Amino acid sequence: MKKRNIILMLPLWVSAIFISGCSSVPEALQVPDNTVLTDFVVVRDNANTEQGNAARWGGVIAKVTNNANNSMLEIVHFPLKSSAIPKQGNETLGRFRVYFSGLLDPVIYKEGRSITALGAVAASEEGKIGEHEYNYPVLTATKIHLWKEKKQVDVRVIHNPFWSSPSFWQPRYSNYPRRVVVRKAPAPVKKK
């Protein structure tokens, strides 16, 4: 009986291993297990009290500025999934700035791309979003991970024509796109 239970549980264990492997955080963004990461909301609400603490925040790039010594990214914050991917939605908790020592090419790090940054909380900065005054939480990043762009994929399934046929020798092509032919209507016949 025990052997049978083990055999029945084996697929469950294998799938759990694969699922946990698929949702892991990229190596560049990993921190030791005992590291406490500072939440974005805590820094936003208590400006400058969390300076120096470790944080991992993410979101969508709103602006890229390359300075003489560093690059600054203005990011619209979104909460992170367990894999550290920003979970985009219709509402955000605010914006923050990330400073990275080095050049971040605006063609690659362009507006609208998802990003996650790991680093230390720095002093907040005053700025503007359009004409609106805004106090930006700041993260001095040691690591930045730019997520791949999601592209739409055609997921239509084309079935084997022989599978939907009652006879293997006479396939039906009902699942394939058909060409439409538009013809002019014949001219009406005039009666005398």
Side-chain angles (χ1 to χ4, degrees):
M1 189 71 169
K2 288 183 182 182
K3 191 174 188 178
R4 185 174 179 216
N5 287 339
I6 292 172
I7 291 172
L8 291 174
M9 294 299 290
L10 186 62
L12 180 64
W13 292 335
V14 171
S15 62
I17 290 169
F18 280 115
I19 290 171
S20 65
C22 294
S23 66
S24 64
V25 176
E27 191 174 326
L29 298 174
Q30 291 180 359
V31 294
D33 290 337
N34 58 357
T35 305
V36 177
L37 296 172
T38 306
D39 190 39
F40 172 77
V41 177
V42 172
V43 176
R44 183 195 66 188
D45 294 342
N46 302 313
N48 302 327
T49 59
E50 302 292 326
Q51 286 185 32
N53 292 346
R56 182 171 52 209
W57 300 336
V60 176
I61 299 173
K63 182 180 176 184
V64 180
T65 305
N66 285 304
N67 304 316
N69 299 327
N70 60 20
S71 295
M72 186 273 293
L73 300 172
E74 185 176 313
I75 299 175
V76 178
H77 179 271
F78 287 107
L80 300 178
K81 297 179 183 178
S82 62
S83 58
I85 298 173
K87 185 170 49 175
Q88 294 184 30
N90 293 329
E91 294 184 22
T92 179
L93 298 173
R95 293 187 179 197
F96 64 97
R97 289 183 175 169
V98 171
Y99 285 93
F100 185 76
S101 61
L103 175 69
L104 297 176
D105 194 326
V107 173
I108 297 169
Y109 291 83
K110 59 186 172 188
E111 294 177 18
R113 294 284 306 265
S114 292
I115 192 168
T116 303
L118 175 67
V121 177
S124 61
E125 297 178 348
E126 294 293 326
K128 287 187 175 185
I129 301 173
E131 294 297 315
H132 182 77
E133 296 287 332
Y134 192 78
N135 187 27
Y136 288 94
V138 176
L139 186 66
T140 304
T142 54
K143 304 284 185 179
I144 290 180
H145 187 82
L146 188 65
W147 297 97
K148 291 182 181 178
E149 291 183 276
K150 292 183 181 177
K151 301 191 184 219
Q152 288 185 339
V153 178
D154 186 4
V155 292
R156 289 183 287 173
V157 177
I158 299 175
H159 296 284
N160 184 332
F162 296 107
W163 290 351
S164 62
S165 172
S167 167
F168 287 116
W169 302 106
Q170 296 176 356
R172 283 190 246 160
Y173 295 96
S174 61
N175 294 332
Y176 294 101
R178 294 186 180 153
R179 204 169 84 184
V180 177
V181 178
V182 179
R183 297 185 180 162
K184 263 186 166 179
V189 179
K190 293 184 183 178
K191 294 184 180 180
K192 292 183 180 182

